[in-house]
């Protein structure tokens, strides 16, 4: 397991930091049961990580290793459920998905589950809820893996030969000791190499431009100190409660107006998204007589390179304060453009890998404590993932809606945006202990998007 994956896996001794990623797809028809079982089997062969479980050793500080589960049972991971009549609508599917997100994984098995929900509106529609642990893949990786499950047309034709079933190769005690040594030595050597390179660059810069290099070193040190500074208290005292419960709600926004708003302001779609979230949080607080000056946001910054495997995590967390001083949409976009750009350029992000390698070697309780200090002070998490620009199908059933729900991981709210077939689907994962009325907040968020899209 990579260091970042290991931290995401290991911090869940604190259940408030659980990191299951949920995707909810609403289908026009119910997929064929036999076909879906076959496609899921193919998916686990194309990506063997989905047949692997995490196996650790109490005698080793090294991260767990991925091993093919010798007892892999596809029926455990793919489940069919019929929604009761009183919940046979999208709200019922969202409630089911939220409950599914609250449950921990069985760690003796591979860390993913799929639930097919039938009986929506009695018109043949269905929903599919996909849940995957963050240590297995990040949002971008999960989307790439789903390409082996979904099709670009109702009848995909020949999918090619079926990959072989991965053979279980459990590691013995000696293998795990060797793995631990390799990880620790590798982490040490990588840190030393990185330090040596950084020192050489710093020395050269000091000789050629001493004033600029001194300023850069100062900024990096300050940024690193800010990244590691305890932030256990959220900025919003009103949304400070935390619980294991989740409420899932959805906002769908036409994609073209979002893009036009971004082009008109000379910013990215992500900045418009963050600005809409900021506007909603600000408005929600002011409406209830609880004005904020700023709130803390956690946003993943993608580090994926061409050729990176879909499995594993390839991002670093950017944490920054969003001011609530601008209420005019144009002013807020200018303000957020600067804030998000500074967060993406934060020199401390380059230190993330070293920090997470060190955290991966800590005892579990110490990792949980440190992660809690860094994550529980976040008010809002926000993530934006580009999805398929055209319709996709699941075993012949067209996907009408595709919504992401990212884990709260200590925040009051996580807002995830996924673009699909001309629509930006925004999944809001609210903690009801922090947000008194998640549906009201969602309505405010919808109005905030409308303010920026005209």
């Amino acid at each position: 397991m990579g260091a970042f994956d290991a931290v995401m896996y290991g911090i869940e001794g604190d259940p408030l930091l659980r990191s299951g990623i949920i995707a909810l797809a609403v289908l026009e028809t119910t997929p064929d049961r036999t076909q879906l079982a076959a496609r899921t089997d193919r998916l686990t062969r194309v990506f063997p990580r989905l047949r692997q479980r995490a196996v650790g050793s109490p005698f080793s500080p090294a991260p767990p290793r991925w091993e093919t589960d010798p007892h892999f049972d596809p029926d455990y991971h793919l489940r069919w459920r019929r929604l009761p009549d009183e919940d046979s609508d999208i709200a019922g599917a969202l409630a089911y998905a939220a409950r599914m997100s609250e449950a921990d994984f069985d760690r003796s098995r591979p860390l993913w589950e799929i639930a097919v929900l039938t009986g929506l509106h009695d018109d043949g529609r269905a929903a599919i809820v996909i849940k995957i642990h963050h240590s297995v893949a990040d949002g971008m990786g999960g989307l790439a893996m789903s390409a082996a499950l979904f099709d670009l047309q109702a009848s995909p034709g020949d999918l090619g030969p079926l990959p072989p079933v991965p053979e279980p190769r459990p590691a013995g005690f000696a293998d795990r000791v060797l793995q631990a040594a390799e990880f620790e030595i590798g982490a040490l050597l990588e840190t030393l190499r990185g330090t040596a390179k950084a020192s050489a660059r710093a020395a050269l810069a000091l000789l050629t431009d001493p004033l600029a290099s001194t300023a850069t070193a100062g900024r990096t040190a300050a940024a690193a100190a800010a990244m590691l500074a305890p932030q256990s208290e959220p900025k919003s005292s009103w949304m400070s409660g935390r619980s294991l419960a989740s409420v899932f709600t959805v906002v769908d926004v036409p994609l073209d107006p979002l893009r036009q708003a971004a082009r008109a302001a000379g910013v990215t779609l992500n900045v418009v998204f963050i600005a809409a979230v900021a506007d909603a949080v600000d408005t929600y607080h002011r409406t209830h007589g609880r004005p904020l000056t700023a709130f803390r946001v956690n946003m993943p910054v993608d580090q994926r390179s061409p050729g990176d495997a879909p499995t594993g995590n390839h991002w670093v967390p950017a944490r920054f304060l969003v001011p609530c001083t601008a209420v005019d949409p144009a002013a807020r976009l200018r303000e957020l453009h600067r804030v998000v750009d500074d967060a993406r350029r934060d020199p401390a992000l380059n230190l993330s890998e070293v920090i997470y390698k060190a955290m991966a070697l800590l005892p579990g309780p110490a990792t949980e404590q440190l992660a809690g200090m860094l994550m529980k002070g976040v008010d809002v998490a926000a993530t934006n993932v580009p999805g398929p620009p055209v319709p996709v199908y699941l075993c012949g059933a067209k996907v009408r809606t595709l919504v992401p729900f990212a884990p709260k991981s200590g925040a009051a709210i996580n807002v995830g945006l996924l673009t699909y077939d001309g629509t930006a689907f925004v999944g809001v994962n609210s903690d009801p202990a922090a947000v008194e009325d998640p549906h009201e907040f969602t309505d405010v968020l919808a109005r905030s998007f409308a303010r920026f899209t005209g």
Side-chain angles (χ1 to χ4, degrees):
M1 221 183 246
F4 194 93
D5 308 340
V7 170
M8 299 300 290
Y9 179 81
I11 60 177
E12 291 188 344
D14 183 342
L16 290 177
L17 302 180
R18 286 176 184 164
S19 58
I21 301 172
I22 296 280
L24 172 68
V26 178
L27 313 175
E28 284 190 349
T29 57
T30 301
D32 180 84
R33 190 165 186 151
T34 302
Q35 288 184 31
L36 184 55
R39 289 304 295 271
T40 305
D41 177 59
R42 175 180 285 272
L43 176 69
T44 65
R45 297 182 189 214
V46 173
F47 297 105
R49 179 63 49 81
L50 298 179
R51 286 178 175 255
Q52 295 174 337
R53 59 184 180 176
V55 180
S57 170
F59 307 106
S60 169
R65 57 181 287 140
W66 294 109
E67 290 186 359
T68 298
D69 181 5
H71 308 293
F72 178 70
D73 178 6
D75 291 336
Y76 174 85
H77 296 273
L78 178 61
R79 306 161 188 180
W80 291 73
R81 300 287 185 268
R82 181 175 178 83
L83 292 174
D85 292 341
E86 62 271 20
D87 292 324
S88 61
D89 55 11
I90 300 304
L94 288 170
Y96 186 98
R99 290 193 299 272
M100 192 168 162
S101 76
E102 295 164 7
D104 200 1
F105 284 96
D106 180 350
R107 297 200 172 203
S108 66
R109 300 174 183 267
L111 304 175
W112 64 274
E113 300 168 3
I114 294 177
V116 183
L117 309 179
T118 62
L120 265 67
H121 295 296
D122 291 326
D123 60 3
R125 277 194 289 166
I128 180 170
V129 184
I130 303 172
K131 178 183 176 183
I132 190 168
H133 196 280
H134 221 313
S135 63
V136 177
D138 55 27
M140 291 289 289
L143 198 64
M145 292 167 68
S146 70
L149 189 63
F150 294 98
D151 302 307
L152 296 177
Q153 51 193 359
S155 301
D158 184 14
L159 298 175
L162 191 64
V165 175
E167 290 292 331
R169 292 187 177 86
F173 178 78
D175 292 326
R176 291 180 183 165
V177 171
L178 180 61
Q179 175 214 3
E182 288 175 346
F183 179 86
E184 293 168 14
I185 294 171
L188 177 61
L189 290 177
E190 187 173 331
T191 301
L192 292 175
R193 281 197 298 269
T195 302
K197 289 179 181 178
S199 299
R201 287 194 299 268
L204 180 60
L206 189 61
L207 291 173
T208 57
D209 193 347
L211 292 178
S213 65
T214 301
T216 299
R219 287 194 297 271
T220 302
M227 173 182 279
L228 294 172
Q231 305 285 352
S232 55
E233 294 297 326
K235 289 292 184 180
S236 171
S237 59
W238 185 37
M239 297 198 314
S240 60
R242 298 293 185 266
S243 72
L244 299 182
S246 287
V247 176
F248 283 4
T249 50
V250 179
V251 175
D252 54 271
V253 185
L255 186 53
D256 282 345
L258 269 181
R259 287 174 171 162
Q260 290 168 9
R263 284 195 296 267
V267 300
T268 63
L269 187 146
N270 187 59
V271 169
V272 178
F273 164 55
I274 298 294
V277 173
D279 186 79
V281 173
D282 184 13
T283 301
Y284 185 64
H285 278 75
R286 284 190 290 104
T287 300
H288 288 270
R290 312 233 185 196
L292 278 174
T293 56
F295 63 95
R296 189 175 290 112
V297 170
N298 195 354
M299 180 188 75
V301 176
D302 186 35
Q303 301 285 293
R304 194 171 292 276
S305 301
D308 283 343
T311 51
N313 285 267
H314 303 274
W315 60 279
V316 292
R319 189 179 61 186
F320 53 92
L321 287 178
V322 171
C324 296
T325 53
V327 293
D328 174 73
R332 199 182 290 277
L333 281 174
R334 289 193 298 270
E335 185 176 65
L336 266 296
H337 175 61
R338 183 184 69 255
V339 170
V340 172
D341 191 56
D342 287 346
R344 286 184 173 277
R345 297 173 183 271
D346 189 339
L349 295 183
N350 297 324
L351 304 175
S352 294
E353 186 171 355
V354 174
I355 292 169
Y356 278 92
K357 280 185 179 294
M359 289 178 67
L361 291 172
L362 293 174
T367 302
E368 293 165 21
Q369 183 71 20
L370 179 57
M373 292 166 58
L374 298 176
M375 299 168 72
K376 290 183 180 178
V378 171
D379 296 282
V380 177
T383 182
N384 169 21
V385 178
V390 296
V392 296
Y393 299 80
L394 179 64
C395 298
K398 184 178 180 180
V399 175
R400 295 182 54 177
T401 301
L402 189 57
V403 193
F405 293 97
K408 300 190 303 289
S409 298
I413 306 169
N414 195 323
V415 186
L417 181 149
L418 187 146
T419 56
Y420 168 61
D421 190 25
T423 300
F425 289 102
V426 182
V428 185
N429 181 357
S430 302
D431 189 331
V435 184
E436 288 185 358
D437 190 338
H439 295 281
E440 179 191 355
F441 174 79
T442 305
D443 290 340
V444 173
L445 179 60
R447 292 195 294 272
S448 292
F449 272 106
R451 292 188 69 201
F452 289 96
T453 58

